[in-house]
Amino acid sequence: MDINLRFLSRLNPWLNSLFASKATLKTETDEAQQGQISLKTIANQYPLQARRGPITQVMLYQSLYASDNFVGREKQLNQITDVINQWRNHHGEISAIVSPAGAGGSSFLGQLPPLLQTIIAEDANKAPMPDIKPLPSKWLLMSFYQAPLSANDAIAYVCYCFGVTPPNTITETIAAINQQPPQLIMIDDMHKLMLRMMGNNQAFVTFATIIMETRKHHCWVINCEIFAWQRLSAQYQIHHFIKHVFQLDYFTETELAKIQTKHLLDLGLISHDVMAKEAATTTQKETRKTSNKTTQKSNDQAEVVNPYKDQLKQLYTISQGHPKLASLLLQYSLANQADINSDNPSNNSSNSSSNSGIEICRINSSVLQQCQDNDLFSLAEIYVHGGLRVSQHAHIFAITIEQSSLQLEYLARQGLIIAQYSQQDFAEHFYFITPTLSKIIASHLVNNNKLFN
């Protein structure tokens, strides 16, 4: 009988954690008392319905991340406006928004519909220009959560954007799409269309060809994770065909502070006066070169009004500008202050570096240090693809479905990935990295040469 001793040895930590008594297990309270939060706790903050709900065979995601609290990205919004104007002047090219996971690429797409309405309103006040292509009344947002594995699949996906019946050939598809009224189309999570399985290569080429041949008639904007973009560039030379590439990154300290200050406002921990004074501070800074000493003094007074100023700096240092991670750290730290302070008597208002006396939890990522190479390679593939099913993971790593299932469940029990379970077939269980863990895991993978800049 062929027994894989190495694989069985890898199950020991998983089995030990499964049967360990509750007395020996470390709790969230224990970690909070040490001023820490584990990766598993971070992962468990993910919405329960999305984390444990049944997975469908094909998931189509069409929800916009529009927000009134949108911060920054002025440069990129101006660039997108220029792209739309070029397209209207019959110089249409494909545009790509490239950003690390969790940096707000989807949120940026959510700002394009109001941008379109702004352009339409401005056009209403201008003299009509007959040579300019008319704008449609709205954008179309599509995201395909199941990668195509044949040319026919790719044709069906693109035709779905226009609500047309898929033709038999790519030539007929291009002709049919070019006969449709001009559209502004956003494809979110482009990396989910890429999969290291037989048929996906041709499917992706077909998909890209259709977009290329219709770019003059329709305005295409795609959003792709940066490490997946690098893989697409190496494998398909996609950067040769995308003329406009807009880079987004995690937020600066100032931008993140603005976002989190609004969260503090929503939680009722600071007043609207703080927001007003911070806005006044920003205005004064812009004119500081011409201001006198009196203005400088008022600047200093306004800057120290926010009682959470030190915490906002800590949040930036710990999260490195990741907005969702920073928000989770803030809310978790606020909710667990009693446990945090119970083991740290010095953490009181008299000794704290700020008047608020709030301690921000640090991230305990020691579980990543315990991962072996095969675990890290699995995490890298899950990260780049935006998630994998058990059957897909098994195919990529040339292992059995059973081995793949056990390895992925081990990573899930460590809190590194989240599972969505199929009710019909365990091979269809879907595993992914939560947005709040994306930067932590990606940084570790880069440092261990599993993802490459």
Side-chain angles (χ1 to χ4, degrees):
M1 181 173 63
D2 183 17
I3 300 178
N4 190 331
L5 296 178
R6 182 176 181 276
F7 182 72
L8 290 176
S9 69
R10 286 291 289 114
L11 292 181
N12 285 339
W14 186 84
L15 293 172
N16 289 338
S17 65
L18 181 64
F19 296 109
S21 66
K22 291 185 178 180
T24 63
L25 293 177
K26 197 170 187 178
T27 66
E28 291 183 16
T29 300
D30 295 331
E31 291 209 328
Q33 288 177 348
Q34 298 177 19
Q36 295 183 338
I37 180 173
S38 69
L39 300 188
K40 188 170 186 177
T41 300
I42 294 175
N44 285 338
Q45 305 306 308
Y46 199 75
L48 185 64
Q49 63 272 21
R51 185 156 48 93
R52 294 300 181 188
I55 190 172
T56 56
Q57 292 301 312
V58 178
M59 293 178 289
L60 295 175
Y61 187 76
Q62 297 180 335
S63 147
L64 278 175
Y65 291 87
S67 171
D68 294 333
N69 296 331
F70 190 76
V71 171
R73 317 305 197 198
E74 291 85 1
K75 176 183 176 182
Q76 290 82 2
L77 286 171
N78 290 334
Q79 290 173 325
I80 287 290
T81 302
D82 290 340
V83 165
I84 295 174
N85 289 331
Q86 291 180 37
W87 172 73
R88 298 182 69 191
N89 282 283
H90 309 280
H91 298 289
E93 296 290 347
I94 306 172
S95 303
I97 299 163
V98 179
S99 63
S106 296
S107 296
F108 180 79
L109 290 184
Q111 296 304 305
L112 299 191
L115 175 65
L116 174 62
Q117 297 307 314
T118 299
I119 297 174
I120 292 175
E122 291 174 351
D123 281 357
N125 298 321
K126 297 178 182 178
M129 302 178 66
D131 293 336
I132 296 295
K133 186 178 295 186
L135 280 171
S137 60
K138 60 183 180 180
W139 284 87
L140 175 66
L141 171 66
M142 299 298 298
S143 180
F144 305 99
Y145 267 32
Q146 183 166 299
L149 295 179
S150 70
N152 287 336
D153 285 347
I155 289 173
Y157 277 36
V158 182
C159 288
Y160 186 88
C161 296
F162 299 91
V164 301
T165 302
N168 295 322
T169 67
I170 185 173
T171 302
E172 293 173 345
T173 301
I174 292 169
I177 290 175
N178 279 330
Q179 290 173 3
Q180 301 299 311
Q183 280 278 6
L184 302 174
I185 305 170
M186 299 179 288
I187 303 293
D188 197 9
D189 296 327
M190 187 73 172
H191 47 277
K192 293 182 182 291
L193 293 176
M194 176 184 66
L195 182 62
R196 289 185 175 182
M197 291 185 68
M198 185 177 298
N200 181 247
N201 187 300
Q202 182 57 48
F204 195 88
V205 170
T206 300
F207 189 91
T209 301
I210 295 172
I211 294 179
M212 277 293 296
E213 294 301 322
T214 59
R215 71 189 188 281
K216 301 297 182 182
H217 190 62
H218 302 286
C219 183
W220 296 90
V221 178
I222 66 174
N223 178 39
C224 187
E225 196 282 328
I226 190 167
F227 289 106
W229 177 262
Q230 292 165 358
R231 183 177 287 186
L232 287 171
S233 296
Q235 187 172 351
Y236 298 98
Q237 289 74 48
I238 192 171
H239 56 290
H240 292 167
F241 307 102
I242 310 295
K243 185 172 183 179
H244 307 289
V245 180
F246 310 133
Q247 296 274 351
L248 296 180
D249 206 345
Y250 295 108
F251 290 98
T252 65
E253 182 176 350
T254 301
E255 292 170 337
L256 190 71
K258 186 175 181 180
I259 295 171
Q260 299 310 318
T261 299
K262 290 180 178 179
H263 288 168
L264 290 168
L265 180 66
D266 294 337
L267 292 171
L269 296 174
I270 58 176
S271 67
H272 287 274
D273 292 339
V274 172
M275 296 292 288
K277 289 179 180 179
E278 288 200 343
T281 299
T282 302
T283 303
Q284 290 168 2
K285 283 183 177 181
E286 292 174 353
T287 58
R288 180 167 289 182
K289 291 183 180 179
T290 58
S291 63
N292 54 32
K293 292 183 179 179
T294 303
T295 305
Q296 179 66 53
K297 183 178 179 181
S298 67
N299 275 340
D300 296 338
Q301 291 174 343
E303 287 176 355
V304 298
V305 169
N306 192 334
Y308 294 93
K309 182 178 178 182
D310 290 337
Q311 280 71 29
L312 296 177
K313 289 184 177 180
Q314 292 175 30
L315 284 172
Y316 177 75
T317 300
I318 297 172
S319 70
Q320 292 296 296
H322 191 303
K324 290 185 178 179
L325 177 58
S327 296
L328 186 150
L329 288 172
L330 176 61
Q331 295 185 32
Y332 182 85
S333 299
L334 290 170
N336 290 274
Q337 278 305 293
D339 292 326
I340 295 172
N341 291 327
S342 67
D343 200 47
N344 294 279
S346 61
N347 290 341
N348 53 50
S349 58
S350 60
N351 295 324
S352 177
S353 59
S354 73
N355 294 330
S356 67
I358 299 296
E359 179 81 6
I360 301 297
C361 283
R362 304 179 306 278
I363 297 172
N364 179 4
S365 57
S366 58
V367 66
L368 275 172
Q369 309 298 330
Q370 302 169 13
C371 287
Q372 298 183 6
D373 278 352
N374 60 331
D375 299 321
L376 297 181
F377 278 120
S378 290
L379 287 174
E381 291 299 318
I382 292 170
Y383 179 91
V384 170
H385 288 93
L388 287 175
R389 300 173 191 263
V390 173
S391 57
Q392 295 167 343
H393 177 270
H395 180 92
I396 291 172
F397 290 97
I399 57 178
T400 67
I401 295 290
E402 293 79 7
Q403 288 174 322
S404 177
S405 176
L406 289 172
Q407 184 178 14
L408 291 173
E409 195 58 31
Y410 166 77
L411 293 174
R413 290 187 67 86
Q414 304 309 306
L416 298 173
I417 55 179
I418 289 292
Q420 283 185 314
Y421 296 113
S422 169
Q423 296 178 340
Q424 289 79 32
D425 185 358
F426 80 96
E428 293 298 306
H429 293 345
F430 182 76
Y431 292 85
F432 63 98
I433 298 170
T434 67
T436 44
L437 289 181
S438 58
K439 182 171 176 56
I440 299 169
I441 291 178
S443 297
H444 185 80
L445 293 173
V446 169
N447 292 337
N448 286 271
N449 299 320
K450 301 303 184 294
L451 285 176
F452 300 96
N453 287 315

